[in-house]
Amino acid sequence: MPRITVEDDAGHKPVKWVPLTAEAVAQAQDALRTLLVERGQNTLGHIGRSPKFADYVEETYKPRLEASDHL
């Protein structure tokens, strides 16, 4: 499992362990290169824990709901 630095929404850059699904060294190297390219292009999928539902409601859902009421 390689470690990469990933910037989160708050601007912090924690180091994350990323599991790779590879059975050979060459496959793992290709997967790591792909992961680094995605990070560089800012298209990397979610890594790590998901937010708690209550935090999602307060930080994401409610602001979007309030914004849609003003349309």
Side-chain angles (χ1 to χ4, degrees):
M1 236 185 327
R3 293 181 345 172
I4 64 170
T5 303
V6 181
E7 186 171 353
D8 62 14
D9 294 337
H12 301 111
K13 295 183 179 180
V15 175
K16 300 282 186 171
W17 288 97
V18 182
L20 299 177
T21 55
E23 296 180 15
V25 173
Q27 290 174 334
Q29 289 172 336
D30 288 342
L32 179 59
R33 283 189 204 100
T34 301
L35 192 65
L36 295 174
V37 168
E38 288 175 352
R39 179 186 67 177
Q41 295 174 343
N42 204 22
T43 59
L44 188 62
H46 180 73
I47 297 175
R49 295 173 48 187
S50 297
K52 294 180 182 177
F53 183 71
D55 293 338
Y56 166 78
V57 169
E58 289 298 320
E59 297 170 11
T60 305
Y61 182 74
K62 282 185 178 180
R64 288 183 182 174
L65 185 62
E66 290 169 1
S68 69
D69 288 341
H70 298 294
L71 295 177

